[in-house]
Amino acid sequence: MTATEAPPLQLDEIQGIVLRNRPSPYVGTYILLRVDDPGAGRQLMGRLAELVDSAANWWQPDLPALLNVGLTCRGLEALQVPPASLNSFPAEFRQGMAARAELIGDTGESAPARWEPPFGTGQVHVMLSLLATDQESLAVVIERARQAHAQLPGLQTVHRQDFYQLSTGRTSFGYKDGIGNPTIEGSGAESPPGDGSPLKAGEYVLGYRDETGNLPSMPQPAELGRNGTFVAWRKLHTRVAAFRRYLHDNSNSPEEESLLAAKIVGRWQSGAPLILAPEHDDPALGADDQRNNDFLYASDPQGAICPHSAHARRANPRDSEIIGDVRLHRMIRRGTNYGPPLPAGVLDDDGADRGIVFVFIGSQLERQFEFVKSQWLDDGNFTGLGREKDLLTGDNDGTGAFTIPQHPIQRRLHGVERFVITRGGEYFFLPSLSALRWLADVK
Ligand code: HEM
């Protein structure tokens, strides 16, 4: 099949988290449930169908709170979704994130055997994602969600993970994040300068044509699959003190330190891209969403300005000469923070658990999330870097390297350790609002 005109997206069917940007500031929590009684689980789906926020009017900024829901494959089984339907889901989703650990670099300290319970144990069935502009509005939506599940005796809360926007608006490592996100055809969003043409809707929502021009296969029946998508949810502990010390030990001045930090990500910590600000940070550029994503890499084929090994250049190589088609591997990211920030300037670990809840959204877990993690972040072959891994997020073990092309001789840092440790994660299916009603009635 070839693509014809893009059908407009059915926004009132798609869950809000797919298209809505978060307010600033925001607070939120993830509530993870186990379904012990199929009837109770189905009742919950019926109630959630009335409570879940859709993507309708996603551009209106005044929504005080957002409630969304995802299910693992074990969760669908717990609702007694028929085997023929379960088998129509992609293999990686059926296996679950823990079973894919070797492939996606969850080894050693990040291995599922060392994850926090209940992750990877089959006990996580339903994820409620609750987000609000402030604690008061969050309390209201938490109460709404509690009423939906608390009086159903066959449901257990197995985990809760709070998250929030740091007062700096940045991540625990100090970088502004969430800048590069695809624009989706048919969503009504306009591409910011530099973003190129919008991505086909089928890359992010099931039931629409994707970048190959085809309708990707979809869980069956269509009522269950259509307008749904997938989430890769990961709790990532960040070793902030060790990262700061690494920057410090490999620099001779604070200026060198911030340049090295920029080379590692491809953006200064303010968000300003190296390609547009090669020598010094430009916070005004970092803050300007009409300019901070308006760049390509063609002018820097050797990586002399932005190394090929920089995190953002690996994760989205744009027009770099690489093996692979970049448009088949773009992802929506809704990452956020947990835990207290490490005070500025501290180079010693204080023992606190802090990090990022990484949230991928896309219709192809394998081709999008797993591919980028395994081929572009945990390997360097695609861009001529051999086995070199991403310094920031790669599954490094202390023997890793980081190559910075520069004249007259390139710089190569050694002894790269693991700065990000996976504490747990799950793959979720994010059903449409109609699919929630279908799940409520499934027999
Ligand atoms: C603790 C873990 C991580 C941290 C601290 C982190 C941090 C960052 C930062 C600071 C940026 C630049 C800002 C931006 O362009 O939005 C970025 C971009 C990006 N990251 Fe990560 N990241 C992490 C994990 C991951 C993972 C696991 C993936 C994919 C599997 C990923 C994929 C991306 C993508 C696709 C971009 C956008 C690149 C672009 O469009 O130019 N990140 N990340």
Side-chain angles (χ1 to χ4, degrees):
M1 274 183 275
T2 51
T4 55
E5 211 166 280
L9 286 174
Q10 287 180 281
L11 297 179
D12 54 353
E13 279 290 335
I14 299 164
Q15 292 205 38
I17 192 176
V18 180
L19 294 178
R20 257 190 187 275
N21 292 322
R22 276 188 298 246
S24 177
Y26 66 82
V27 285
T29 193
Y30 292 102
I31 297 174
L32 305 181
L33 304 171
R34 189 184 69 223
V35 176
D36 294 330
D37 173 58
R42 292 196 287 261
Q43 241 181 304
L44 175 69
M45 294 301 122
R47 293 179 182 182
L48 288 173
E50 306 305 318
L51 292 178
V52 158
D53 292 291
S54 79
N57 302 327
W58 61 264
W59 52 89
Q60 285 179 359
D62 56 355
L63 199 74
L66 196 69
L67 190 158
N68 289 114
V69 58
L71 293 104
T72 59
C73 190
R74 300 290 88 76
L76 294 171
E77 282 168 6
L79 299 185
Q80 296 183 334
V81 169
S85 190
L86 290 173
N87 290 335
S88 67
F89 279 82
E92 66 277 10
F93 172 74
R94 282 184 276 132
Q95 290 166 14
M97 190 181 280
R100 311 286 286 180
E102 286 284 329
L103 174 78
I104 58 175
D106 286 337
T107 56
E109 290 172 281
S110 290
R114 301 171 83 165
W115 286 2
E116 288 173 6
F119 297 109
T121 62
Q123 304 280 308
V124 179
H125 294 166
V126 177
M127 169 195 63
L128 300 177
S129 162
L130 311 174
L131 171 77
T133 47
D134 51 50
Q135 289 292 353
E136 211 182 326
S137 312
L138 183 63
V140 173
V141 71
I142 289 177
E143 179 54 22
R144 223 183 299 154
R146 200 191 61 77
Q147 282 178 14
H149 69 82
Q151 306 106 353
L152 291 171
L155 302 177
Q156 295 300 324
T157 302
V158 288
H159 194 72
R160 183 167 157 180
Q161 179 64 57
D162 293 340
F163 62 91
Y164 69 116
Q165 185 182 42
L166 292 177
S167 59
T168 54
R170 302 195 181 171
T171 63
S172 51
F173 281 134
Y175 297 91
K176 178 171 171 162
D177 194 10
I179 306 169
N181 259 327
T183 308
I184 305 168
E185 195 173 270
S187 67
E190 279 178 26
S191 300
D195 212 34
S197 57
L199 277 288
K200 296 287 177 201
E203 294 292 316
Y204 307 103
V205 189
L206 295 163
Y208 302 86
R209 291 182 203 283
D210 67 13
E211 284 290 319
T212 68
N214 295 319
L215 275 173
S217 69
M218 166 171 95
Q220 294 300 315
E223 204 181 346
L224 173 63
R226 186 178 297 122
N227 289 310
T229 190
F230 293 98
V231 164
W233 190 104
R234 288 161 77 69
K235 181 175 178 181
L236 302 175
H237 171 77
T238 50
R239 282 186 168 148
V240 179
F243 181 68
R244 285 183 188 169
R245 193 170 284 281
Y246 192 84
L247 294 178
H248 185 261
D249 291 350
N250 287 284
S251 310
N252 294 313
S253 66
E255 292 72 30
E256 267 189 40
E257 242 179 77
S258 62
L259 179 60
L260 177 56
K263 295 277 184 189
I264 286 170
V265 161
R267 290 184 184 270
W268 298 86
Q269 293 195 323
S270 71
L274 263 177
I275 291 291
L276 300 181
E279 306 280 340
H280 303 285
D281 193 3
D282 182 346
L285 170 63
D288 184 347
D289 59 11
Q290 288 304 300
R291 292 193 296 138
N292 65 13
N293 215 22
D294 190 4
F295 68 94
L296 294 170
Y297 294 113
S299 61
D300 184 29
Q302 309 301 327
I305 298 170
C306 178
H308 292 284
S309 47
H311 173 75
R313 187 164 185 169
R314 283 173 174 269
N316 177 11
R318 302 185 185 218
D319 60 336
S320 305
E321 272 195 26
I322 52 132
I323 304 167
D325 180 348
V326 171
R327 289 178 71 87
L328 297 180
H329 310 291
R330 298 288 312 276
M331 61 185 77
I332 299 174
R333 290 173 304 135
R334 300 271 183 252
T336 180
N337 300 286
Y338 74 90
L342 187 68
V346 175
L347 296 185
D348 291 314
D349 189 22
D350 61 357
D353 186 16
R354 64 175 57 84
I356 284 173
V357 179
F358 173 87
V359 175
F360 153 96
I361 301 178
S363 61
Q364 307 290 327
L365 284 167
E366 186 184 28
R367 156 152 82 69
Q368 295 169 326
F369 168 69
E370 292 189 341
F371 179 91
V372 171
K373 181 69 173 70
S374 62
Q375 301 300 309
W376 288 357
L377 297 179
D378 288 344
D379 200 352
N381 210 21
F382 76 104
T383 190
L385 287 168
R387 303 309 310 274
E388 190 173 310
K389 300 164 194 276
D390 183 29
L391 183 143
L392 196 67
T393 66
D395 59 333
N396 287 298
D397 60 2
T399 61
F402 181 65
T403 306
I404 308 175
Q406 58 184 33
H407 296 297
I409 39 167
Q410 70 173 17
R411 190 170 175 212
R412 203 162 149 78
L413 304 187
H414 295 279
V416 177
E417 57 201 271
R418 196 188 278 260
F419 296 114
V420 172
I421 297 161
T422 310
R423 295 271 201 236
E426 301 286 347
Y427 288 152
F428 293 99
F429 175 58
L430 222 59
S432 71
L433 275 71
S434 291
L436 285 171
R437 285 186 274 275
W438 185 89
L439 287 167
D441 292 337
V442 72
K443 285 284 173 332

